[in-house]
Coordinates of all heavy atoms in Angstrom, one line a residue:
M16 N 0.8 -1.2 0.0 CA 0.0 0.0 0.0 C 0.9 1.2 0.0 O 1.8 1.3 0.8 CB -0.9 0.0 1.2 CG -2.0 1.0 1.2 SD -3.1 1.0 2.7 CE -3.2 -0.6 3.2
P17 N 0.7 2.2 -0.9 CA 1.5 3.4 -1.0 C 1.2 4.4 0.1 O 0.6 5.5 -0.2 CB 1.2 3.9 -2.4 CG -0.2 3.4 -2.7 CD -0.3 2.1 -1.9
I18 N 1.6 4.2 1.3 CA 1.2 5.1 2.4 C 2.2 6.3 2.4 O 3.4 6.2 2.3 CB 1.4 4.3 3.8 CG1 0.3 3.2 3.8 CG2 1.2 5.3 4.9 CD1 0.4 2.3 5.0
T19 N 1.5 7.5 2.6 CA 2.3 8.7 2.6 C 2.4 9.3 4.0 O 3.4 10.0 4.3 CB 1.8 9.8 1.7 OG1 0.4 10.0 2.0 CG2 1.8 9.3 0.2
S20 N 1.5 8.9 4.9 CA 1.6 9.4 6.3 C 0.7 8.6 7.2 O -0.3 8.0 6.8 CB 1.3 10.9 6.5 OG -0.1 11.1 6.2
V21 N 1.0 8.5 8.5 CA 0.2 7.8 9.5 C 0.2 8.7 10.7 O 1.3 9.1 11.2 CB 0.8 6.4 9.9 CG1 0.0 5.8 11.0 CG2 0.9 5.5 8.7
T22 N -1.0 9.1 11.2 CA -1.1 9.9 12.4 C -1.9 9.1 13.4 O -3.0 8.7 13.2 CB -1.9 11.2 12.0 OG1 -1.2 11.9 11.0 CG2 -1.9 12.1 13.3
K23 N -1.3 9.0 14.6 CA -1.9 8.2 15.7 C -2.3 9.1 16.8 O -1.6 10.1 17.1 CB -0.9 7.2 16.2 CG -0.4 6.2 15.2 CD 0.6 5.3 15.8 CE 1.2 4.3 14.8 NZ 2.3 3.5 15.3
D24 N -3.5 8.8 17.4 CA -4.0 9.6 18.5 C -4.4 8.5 19.5 O -5.6 8.1 19.6 CB -5.2 10.5 18.1 CG -5.7 11.3 19.2 OD1 -5.3 11.1 20.4 OD2 -6.5 12.2 18.9
P25 N -3.5 8.1 20.4 CA -3.8 7.1 21.4 C -4.9 7.5 22.3 O -5.7 6.6 22.7 CB -2.5 6.9 22.1 CG -1.4 7.4 21.2 CD -2.1 8.5 20.4
A26 N -5.0 8.7 22.7 CA -6.0 9.2 23.6 C -7.4 9.0 23.0 O -8.4 8.7 23.7 CB -5.8 10.6 24.0
A27 N -7.6 9.2 21.7 CA -8.9 9.0 21.1 C -9.0 7.6 20.5 O -10.0 7.3 19.8 CB -9.0 10.1 20.0
L28 N -8.0 6.8 20.7 CA -8.0 5.4 20.1 C -8.3 5.5 18.6 O -9.1 4.7 18.0 CB -9.0 4.5 20.8 CG -8.8 4.3 22.3 CD1 -10.0 3.5 22.8 CD2 -7.5 3.6 22.5
S29 N -7.5 6.4 17.9 CA -7.7 6.5 16.4 C -6.4 6.6 15.7 O -5.4 6.9 16.3 CB -8.6 7.7 16.1 OG -7.9 8.9 16.4
M30 N -6.5 6.3 14.5 CA -5.3 6.3 13.6 C -5.8 6.7 12.2 O -6.8 6.2 11.7 CB -4.6 5.0 13.5 CG -3.4 4.9 12.6 SD -2.5 3.4 12.7 CE -3.6 2.2 12.0
T31 N -5.1 7.7 11.6 CA -5.4 8.2 10.3 C -4.3 7.8 9.3 O -3.1 8.1 9.6 CB -5.6 9.7 10.3 OG1 -6.7 10.0 11.2 CG2 -6.0 10.2 8.9
V32 N -4.6 7.1 8.3 CA -3.6 6.6 7.3 C -3.9 7.3 6.0 O -5.1 7.3 5.5 CB -3.7 5.1 7.1 CG1 -2.7 4.7 6.0 CG2 -3.4 4.4 8.4
V33 N -2.9 8.0 5.4 CA -3.1 8.7 4.1 C -2.2 7.9 3.1 O -1.1 7.6 3.4 CB -2.7 10.2 4.2 CG1 -2.7 10.8 2.8 CG2 -3.5 10.9 5.2
A34 N -2.9 7.6 2.0 CA -2.1 6.8 0.9 C -2.6 7.3 -0.4 O -3.7 7.8 -0.6 CB -2.4 5.3 1.1
D35 N -1.7 7.2 -1.4 CA -1.9 7.6 -2.8 C -2.0 6.3 -3.6 O -1.2 5.5 -3.6 CB -0.8 8.5 -3.3 CG -0.8 9.8 -2.6 OD1 -1.8 10.4 -2.4 OD2 0.4 10.2 -2.3
F36 N -3.1 6.2 -4.4 CA -3.4 5.0 -5.2 C -3.5 5.4 -6.7 O -4.1 6.5 -7.0 CB -4.6 4.3 -4.8 CG -4.5 3.7 -3.4 CD1 -4.9 4.5 -2.3 CD2 -4.1 2.4 -3.3 CE1 -4.8 3.9 -1.0 CE2 -4.0 1.8 -2.0 CZ -4.4 2.6 -0.9
A37 N -3.0 4.6 -7.6 CA -3.0 4.9 -9.0 C -4.2 4.3 -9.7 O -4.1 3.6 -10.7 CB -1.7 4.5 -9.7
V38 N -5.4 4.4 -9.0 CA -6.6 3.9 -9.6 C -7.7 4.9 -9.4 O -7.6 5.8 -8.5 CB -7.0 2.6 -8.9 CG1 -6.0 1.5 -9.2 CG2 -7.3 2.7 -7.5
P39 N -8.8 4.8 -10.1 CA -9.9 5.7 -9.9 C -10.5 5.5 -8.5 O -10.5 4.4 -7.9 CB -11.0 5.3 -11.0 CG -10.2 4.6 -12.0 CD -9.0 4.0 -11.3
V40 N -11.0 6.6 -7.9 CA -11.6 6.6 -6.6 C -12.6 5.5 -6.4 O -12.7 4.8 -5.4 CB -12.1 7.9 -6.1 CG1 -12.8 7.9 -4.8 CG2 -11.0 8.9 -6.1
R41 N -13.5 5.3 -7.4 CA -14.6 4.3 -7.4 C -14.0 2.9 -7.3 O -14.5 2.1 -6.5 CB -15.5 4.4 -8.6 CG -16.6 3.5 -8.6 CD -17.5 3.8 -7.4 NE -18.3 2.7 -7.0 CZ -19.4 2.7 -6.3 NH1 -19.9 3.9 -5.9 NH2 -20.1 1.7 -6.0
R42 N -12.9 2.6 -8.0 CA -12.3 1.3 -7.9 C -11.7 1.0 -6.5 O -11.9 0.0 -6.0 CB -11.2 1.2 -9.0 CG -10.3 0.0 -8.9 CD -11.1 -1.3 -9.2 NE -10.4 -2.5 -9.0 CZ -10.5 -3.3 -8.0 NH1 -11.4 -3.0 -7.1 NH2 -9.8 -4.4 -7.8
L43 N -11.1 2.1 -5.9 CA -10.6 1.9 -4.6 C -11.7 1.7 -3.6 O -11.6 0.9 -2.7 CB -9.8 3.2 -4.2 CG -9.0 3.1 -2.9 CD1 -8.0 2.0 -2.9 CD2 -8.3 4.4 -2.7
W44 N -12.8 2.5 -3.7 CA -14.0 2.3 -2.8 C -14.5 0.9 -2.9 O -14.7 0.2 -1.9 CB -15.1 3.3 -3.2 CG -16.4 3.0 -2.5 CD1 -17.4 2.2 -2.8 CD2 -16.7 3.6 -1.2 NE1 -18.4 2.2 -1.9 CE2 -18.0 3.1 -0.8 CE3 -16.0 4.4 -0.3 CZ2 -18.6 3.4 0.3 CZ3 -16.7 4.8 0.9 CH2 -17.9 4.2 1.2
D45 N -14.6 0.3 -4.1 CA -15.1 -1.0 -4.3 C -14.2 -2.0 -3.6 O -14.7 -3.0 -3.1 CB -15.3 -1.3 -5.8 CG -16.4 -0.6 -6.4 OD1 -17.3 0.0 -5.7 OD2 -16.4 -0.5 -7.7
A46 N -12.9 -1.8 -3.7 CA -12.0 -2.8 -3.1 C -12.1 -2.8 -1.6 O -12.0 -3.8 -0.9 CB -10.5 -2.4 -3.5
Y47 N -12.3 -1.6 -1.0 CA -12.5 -1.5 0.5 C -13.8 -2.0 0.9 O -14.0 -2.5 2.1 CB -12.2 -0.1 1.0 CG -10.7 0.1 1.3 CD1 -9.8 0.6 0.3 CD2 -10.2 -0.2 2.5 CE1 -8.5 0.8 0.5 CE2 -8.8 0.0 2.8 CZ -8.0 0.5 1.8 OH -6.7 0.7 2.0
A48 N -14.8 -1.9 0.1 CA -16.2 -2.2 0.5 C -16.5 -3.7 0.4 O -17.3 -4.2 1.1 CB -17.2 -1.5 -0.4
D49 N -15.7 -4.4 -0.4 CA -15.9 -5.9 -0.6 C -14.8 -6.6 0.2 O -13.6 -6.5 -0.1 CB -15.8 -6.2 -2.1 CG -15.9 -7.7 -2.4 OD1 -16.0 -8.5 -1.5 OD2 -15.9 -8.0 -3.6
P50 N -15.2 -7.4 1.2 CA -14.2 -8.0 2.1 C -13.3 -9.0 1.3 O -12.2 -9.2 1.6 CB -15.0 -8.7 3.1 CG -16.4 -8.8 2.6 CD -16.6 -7.7 1.7
R51 N -13.9 -9.7 0.3 CA -13.0 -10.6 -0.5 C -11.9 -9.9 -1.3 O -10.8 -10.3 -1.4 CB -13.9 -11.4 -1.5 CG -15.0 -12.2 -0.9 CD -14.6 -13.4 0.1 NE -14.1 -13.0 1.4 CZ -14.9 -12.9 2.5 NH1 -16.2 -13.0 2.4 NH2 -14.3 -12.6 3.7
Q52 N -12.2 -8.7 -1.8 CA -11.2 -7.9 -2.4 C -10.2 -7.3 -1.4 O -9.0 -7.3 -1.6 CB -11.8 -6.7 -3.2 CG -12.6 -7.2 -4.4 CD -13.0 -6.0 -5.2 OE1 -12.3 -5.1 -5.6 NE2 -14.3 -6.0 -5.5
L53 N -10.7 -6.9 -0.3 CA -9.9 -6.3 0.8 C -8.9 -7.4 1.3 O -7.8 -7.0 1.6 CB -10.8 -5.9 1.9 CG -10.2 -5.0 3.1 CD1 -9.5 -3.8 2.5 CD2 -11.3 -4.6 4.0
E54 N -9.3 -8.6 1.4 CA -8.4 -9.7 1.8 C -7.2 -9.8 0.9 O -6.1 -10.2 1.3 CB -9.1 -11.0 1.8 CG -10.1 -11.2 2.9 CD -11.0 -12.4 2.8 OE1 -11.0 -13.0 1.7 OE2 -11.6 -12.8 3.8
R55 N -7.3 -9.4 -0.3 CA -6.2 -9.5 -1.3 C -5.0 -8.6 -1.0 O -3.9 -8.8 -1.4 CB -6.7 -9.3 -2.7 CG -7.7 -10.4 -3.1 CD -8.2 -10.2 -4.5 NE -7.1 -10.6 -5.3 CZ -7.2 -10.6 -6.6 NH1 -8.3 -10.3 -7.2 NH2 -6.2 -11.0 -7.4
F56 N -5.3 -7.5 -0.2 CA -4.2 -6.6 0.0 C -4.0 -6.1 1.5 O -3.1 -5.4 1.9 CB -4.3 -5.3 -0.9 CG -5.5 -4.5 -0.7 CD1 -5.5 -3.4 0.2 CD2 -6.6 -4.7 -1.4 CE1 -6.6 -2.7 0.4 CE2 -7.8 -3.9 -1.3 CZ -7.8 -2.9 -0.4
W57 N -5.0 -6.6 2.4 CA -4.9 -6.1 3.8 C -3.9 -7.0 4.5 O -4.0 -8.2 4.6 CB -6.3 -6.2 4.4 CG -6.3 -5.5 5.7 CD1 -6.2 -6.1 7.0 CD2 -6.4 -4.1 5.9 NE1 -6.3 -5.1 7.9 CE2 -6.4 -3.9 7.3 CE3 -6.5 -3.0 5.1 CZ2 -6.5 -2.6 7.9 CZ3 -6.6 -1.8 5.6 CH2 -6.6 -1.6 7.0
G58 N -2.9 -6.4 5.1 CA -1.9 -7.1 5.9 C -0.7 -7.5 5.0 O -0.7 -7.4 3.8
P59 N 0.4 -7.9 5.7 CA 1.6 -8.4 4.9 C 1.3 -9.7 4.2 O 0.5 -10.5 4.6 CB 2.6 -8.5 6.0 CG 1.9 -8.7 7.3 CD 0.5 -8.0 7.1
P60 N 2.1 -9.9 3.1 CA 1.9 -11.1 2.3 C 2.1 -12.4 3.1 O 1.4 -13.4 2.8 CB 3.0 -11.0 1.2 CG 3.3 -9.6 1.1 CD 3.1 -9.0 2.5
T61 N 2.9 -12.4 4.1 CA 3.1 -13.6 4.9 C 2.1 -13.9 6.0 O 2.0 -14.9 6.6 CB 4.5 -13.6 5.6 OG1 4.6 -12.4 6.4 CG2 5.6 -13.7 4.5
Y62 N 1.2 -12.9 6.2 CA 0.1 -13.0 7.1 C -1.2 -12.5 6.5 O -1.8 -11.5 6.8 CB 0.3 -12.1 8.4 CG 1.2 -12.7 9.4 CD1 2.6 -12.7 9.2 CD2 0.7 -13.2 10.6 CE1 3.4 -13.2 10.2 CE2 1.5 -13.8 11.5 CZ 2.9 -13.8 11.3 OH 3.7 -14.4 12.3
P63 N -1.7 -13.3 5.5 CA -2.9 -13.0 4.8 C -4.1 -12.8 5.8 O -4.3 -13.5 6.7 CB -3.2 -14.1 3.8 CG -2.4 -15.3 4.4 CD -1.3 -14.7 5.1
A64 N -5.0 -11.9 5.4 CA -6.2 -11.6 6.2 C -7.4 -12.4 5.7 O -7.5 -12.5 4.5 CB -6.5 -10.1 6.2
R65 N -8.3 -12.8 6.6 CA -9.6 -13.3 6.2 C -10.6 -12.6 7.1 O -10.6 -12.6 8.3 CB -9.6 -14.8 6.6 CG -11.0 -15.5 6.2 CD -11.0 -17.0 6.5 NE -10.6 -17.3 7.8 CZ -11.3 -17.3 8.9 NH1 -12.6 -16.9 8.8 NH2 -10.9 -17.7 10.1
F66 N -11.5 -11.9 6.4 CA -12.5 -11.1 7.1 C -13.7 -12.0 7.4 O -14.2 -12.7 6.6 CB -13.0 -9.9 6.2 CG -12.0 -8.8 6.2 CD1 -10.8 -8.9 5.5 CD2 -12.2 -7.7 7.0 CE1 -9.9 -7.8 5.5 CE2 -11.3 -6.7 7.1 CZ -10.1 -6.7 6.4
T67 N -14.1 -12.0 8.7 CA -15.2 -12.8 9.2 C -16.5 -11.9 9.3 O -17.6 -12.5 9.5 CB -14.9 -13.4 10.5 OG1 -14.5 -12.3 11.5 CG2 -13.7 -14.4 10.4
R68 N -16.3 -10.6 9.2 CA -17.4 -9.7 9.3 C -17.0 -8.4 8.6 O -15.8 -7.9 8.8 CB -17.7 -9.4 10.8 CG -18.9 -8.5 11.0 CD -19.2 -8.4 12.5 NE -20.2 -7.5 12.8 CZ -20.7 -7.3 13.9 NH1 -20.3 -8.0 15.0 NH2 -21.7 -6.4 14.1
H69 N -17.9 -7.7 7.9 CA -17.5 -6.5 7.2 C -18.8 -5.7 7.0 O -19.4 -5.7 5.9 CB -16.8 -6.7 5.9 CG -16.1 -5.5 5.4 ND1 -15.2 -4.8 6.0 CD2 -16.3 -4.9 4.2 CE1 -14.8 -3.8 5.3 NE2 -15.4 -3.8 4.1
D70 N -19.3 -5.1 8.1 CA -20.5 -4.3 8.1 C -20.2 -2.8 7.8 O -20.0 -2.1 8.8 CB -21.3 -4.5 9.4 CG -21.6 -5.9 9.7 OD1 -21.8 -6.7 8.8 OD2 -21.5 -6.3 10.9
M71 N -20.1 -2.4 6.6 CA -19.7 -1.1 6.2 C -20.8 -0.1 6.3 O -21.3 0.3 5.2 CB -19.0 -1.1 4.9 CG -18.1 0.1 4.6 SD -17.1 -0.3 3.1 CE -16.6 1.4 2.7
Y72 N -21.2 0.3 7.5 CA -22.2 1.3 7.7 C -21.9 1.9 9.1 O -21.2 1.3 9.9 CB -23.6 0.8 7.6 CG -23.9 -0.4 8.5 CD1 -24.2 -0.3 9.8 CD2 -23.9 -1.7 8.0 CE1 -24.4 -1.4 10.6 CE2 -24.1 -2.8 8.8 CZ -24.4 -2.6 10.1 OH -24.6 -3.7 10.9
P73 N -22.4 3.1 9.4 CA -22.1 3.7 10.7 C -22.6 2.8 11.8 O -23.7 2.3 11.8 CB -23.0 5.0 10.6 CG -23.0 5.4 9.2 CD -23.1 4.0 8.5
G74 N -21.7 2.5 12.7 CA -22.0 1.6 13.8 C -21.7 0.2 13.5 O -21.7 -0.7 14.4
G75 N -21.3 -0.1 12.2 CA -20.9 -1.4 11.8 C -19.5 -1.8 12.3 O -18.8 -1.0 12.8
R76 N -19.2 -3.0 12.1 CA -17.9 -3.5 12.5 C -17.3 -4.4 11.4 O -18.0 -5.1 10.7 CB -18.0 -4.3 13.8 CG -16.7 -4.9 14.3 CD -16.9 -5.7 15.5 NE -16.8 -4.8 16.7 CZ -16.5 -5.2 17.9 NH1 -16.2 -6.4 18.2 NH2 -16.4 -4.3 18.9
S77 N -16.0 -4.3 11.3 CA -15.2 -5.2 10.4 C -14.3 -6.0 11.3 O -13.5 -5.4 12.1 CB -14.4 -4.3 9.4 OG -13.9 -5.2 8.4
A78 N -14.3 -7.3 11.2 CA -13.4 -8.2 12.0 C -12.7 -9.1 11.0 O -13.2 -9.6 10.0 CB -14.3 -9.0 12.9
Y79 N -11.4 -9.4 11.4 CA -10.6 -10.2 10.6 C -9.6 -11.0 11.4 O -9.3 -10.6 12.5 CB -9.9 -9.4 9.4 CG -8.9 -8.4 9.9 CD1 -7.6 -8.7 10.0 CD2 -9.4 -7.1 10.3 CE1 -6.7 -7.7 10.4 CE2 -8.5 -6.1 10.7 CZ -7.1 -6.4 10.8 OH -6.3 -5.5 11.2
V80 N -9.0 -12.0 10.8 CA -7.9 -12.7 11.4 C -6.8 -12.9 10.4 O -7.1 -13.1 9.2 CB -8.4 -14.1 11.9 CG1 -8.9 -15.0 10.8 CG2 -7.2 -14.8 12.6
M81 N -5.6 -12.6 10.8 CA -4.4 -12.8 9.9 C -3.7 -14.1 10.4 O -3.4 -14.2 11.6 CB -3.5 -11.6 9.9 CG -4.1 -10.4 9.3 SD -3.0 -9.0 9.1 CE -2.3 -8.7 10.7
T82 N -3.4 -15.0 9.5 CA -2.7 -16.2 9.9 C -1.3 -16.2 9.3 O -1.1 -16.1 8.1 CB -3.5 -17.4 9.4 OG1 -4.8 -17.3 9.9 CG2 -2.9 -18.7 9.8
G83 N -0.3 -16.5 10.2 CA 1.1 -16.5 9.8 C 1.5 -17.8 9.2 O 0.8 -18.8 9.2
P84 N 2.7 -17.9 8.7 CA 3.2 -19.1 8.1 C 3.3 -20.3 9.0 O 3.3 -21.4 8.6 CB 4.6 -18.7 7.5 CG 5.0 -17.4 8.2 CD 3.7 -16.8 8.7
D85 N 3.4 -20.0 10.3 CA 3.5 -21.1 11.3 C 2.2 -21.4 11.9 O 2.1 -22.2 12.9 CB 4.5 -20.8 12.4 CG 5.9 -20.7 11.8 OD1 6.3 -21.4 10.9 OD2 6.7 -19.8 12.3
G86 N 1.1 -20.8 11.4 CA -0.2 -21.0 11.9 C -0.7 -20.1 13.0 O -1.8 -20.2 13.5
D87 N 0.2 -19.2 13.5 CA -0.1 -18.3 14.5 C -1.1 -17.3 14.0 O -1.1 -17.0 12.8 CB 1.1 -17.6 15.1 CG 1.9 -16.9 14.0 OD1 2.2 -17.5 13.0 OD2 2.2 -15.7 14.2
Q88 N -2.1 -16.8 14.8 CA -3.1 -16.0 14.4 C -3.2 -14.7 15.1 O -2.9 -14.6 16.3 CB -4.5 -16.6 14.5 CG -4.6 -17.8 13.5 CD -6.0 -18.4 13.5 OE1 -6.8 -18.3 14.5 NE2 -6.5 -18.9 12.4
S89 N -3.5 -13.6 14.4 CA -3.7 -12.3 15.0 C -5.1 -11.8 14.7 O -5.4 -11.7 13.5 CB -2.7 -11.3 14.5 OG -2.9 -10.0 15.0
H90 N -6.0 -11.6 15.6 CA -7.3 -11.1 15.4 C -7.4 -9.6 15.6 O -6.8 -9.1 16.5 CB -8.3 -11.8 16.4 CG -8.4 -13.3 16.2 ND1 -9.4 -13.9 15.5 CD2 -7.5 -14.3 16.6 CE1 -9.2 -15.2 15.5 NE2 -8.0 -15.5 16.1
A91 N -8.2 -9.0 14.8 CA -8.4 -7.5 15.0 C -9.8 -7.1 14.4 O -10.4 -7.9 13.7 CB -7.3 -6.8 14.3
Y92 N -10.2 -5.9 14.7 CA -11.4 -5.3 14.2 C -11.3 -3.8 14.2 O -10.5 -3.2 14.9 CB -12.6 -5.8 15.1 CG -12.7 -5.2 16.4 CD1 -13.5 -4.0 16.6 CD2 -12.0 -5.7 17.5 CE1 -13.6 -3.4 17.8 CE2 -12.1 -5.1 18.8 CZ -12.9 -4.0 18.9 OH -12.9 -3.3 20.1
W93 N -12.3 -3.2 13.5 CA -12.5 -1.8 13.6 C -14.0 -1.5 13.5 O -14.7 -2.4 13.0 CB -11.7 -1.0 12.6 CG -12.1 -1.2 11.2 CD1 -13.1 -0.7 10.5 CD2 -11.4 -2.0 10.2 NE1 -13.1 -1.1 9.2 CE2 -12.1 -1.9 9.0 CE3 -10.2 -2.8 10.2 CZ2 -11.6 -2.5 7.8 CZ3 -9.8 -3.4 9.1 CH2 -10.5 -3.3 7.9
E94 N -14.4 -0.4 14.0 CA -15.8 0.0 14.0 C -15.9 1.2 13.1 O -15.0 2.1 13.1 CB -16.3 0.4 15.4 CG -16.3 -0.9 16.3 CD -16.7 -0.5 17.7 OE1 -16.8 0.7 18.1 OE2 -16.9 -1.5 18.5
F95 N -17.0 1.3 12.3 CA -17.2 2.4 11.4 C -18.0 3.5 12.1 O -19.1 3.2 12.6 CB -18.0 1.9 10.2 CG -17.3 1.0 9.3 CD1 -17.4 -0.4 9.4 CD2 -16.4 1.5 8.3 CE1 -16.7 -1.3 8.6 CE2 -15.7 0.6 7.5 CZ -15.9 -0.8 7.6
L96 N -17.4 4.6 12.3 CA -18.0 5.8 12.9 C -18.9 6.5 11.9 O -20.0 7.0 12.2 CB -17.0 6.7 13.5 CG -16.1 6.1 14.6 CD1 -15.1 7.2 15.1 CD2 -16.9 5.6 15.7
S97 N -18.4 6.6 10.6 CA -19.2 7.2 9.6 C -18.8 6.5 8.2 O -17.7 6.0 8.1 CB -19.0 8.7 9.5 OG -17.7 9.0 9.1
V98 N -19.7 6.5 7.3 CA -19.4 6.0 6.0 C -20.0 7.0 5.0 O -21.2 7.3 5.1 CB -20.0 4.6 5.7 CG1 -19.7 4.1 4.3 CG2 -19.4 3.6 6.8
V99 N -19.2 7.5 4.0 CA -19.7 8.4 3.0 C -19.5 7.7 1.7 O -18.4 7.7 1.1 CB -18.9 9.7 3.0 CG1 -19.5 10.7 2.0 CG2 -19.0 10.3 4.4
P100 N -20.6 7.1 1.1 CA -20.5 6.3 -0.1 C -20.1 7.2 -1.3 O -20.5 8.4 -1.3 CB -21.9 5.8 -0.3 CG -22.6 5.9 1.0 CD -21.9 7.0 1.7
L101 N -19.5 6.7 -2.2 CA -19.1 7.4 -3.5 C -20.2 7.2 -4.5 O -20.8 6.3 -4.6 CB -17.8 6.9 -4.0 CG -16.6 7.2 -3.0 CD1 -15.3 6.7 -3.6 CD2 -16.5 8.7 -2.8

């Protein structure tokens, strides 16, 4: 992912990631909205992600597990505070 900056706010439990992509905005939106497409690039290649939930609406949650080459797993999630469809 072509990340240009990351801003963390531990007090607010938030992180803002800014990245530049060489695709139309609609294509990028579709990739993030579809968990099967998101799995193709979320996380490092040696720890592929599998999304078990992806409710992309305000108040929704996205949950996933990344599995390492030795079978170790890392579970994570995020909650959608707002969603502005394109």
Side-chain angles (χ1 to χ4, degrees):
M16 191 181 326
I18 296 174
T19 56
S20 70
V21 177
T22 304
K23 300 176 186 176
D24 184 349
L28 298 175
S29 69
M30 178 172 67
T31 301
V32 178
V33 177
D35 295 317
F36 295 88
V38 297
V40 173
R41 183 63 203 199
R42 172 67 187 102
L43 188 58
W44 174 268
D45 290 345
Y47 274 89
D49 178 353
R51 301 296 76 88
Q52 290 185 54
L53 190 54
E54 288 173 343
R55 298 183 71 178
F56 62 89
W57 193 260
T61 56
Y62 278 78
R65 181 179 50 83
F66 282 78
T67 57
R68 181 175 177 176
H69 194 59
D70 305 324
M71 197 169 164
Y72 53 80
R76 179 181 273 206
S77 191
Y79 63 95
V80 59
M81 294 190 304
T82 303
D85 296 326
D87 55 311
Q88 293 187 330
S89 177
H90 297 258
Y92 73 92
W93 65 78
E94 295 175 352
F95 293 96
L96 301 179
S97 67
V98 176
V99 181
L101 295 178

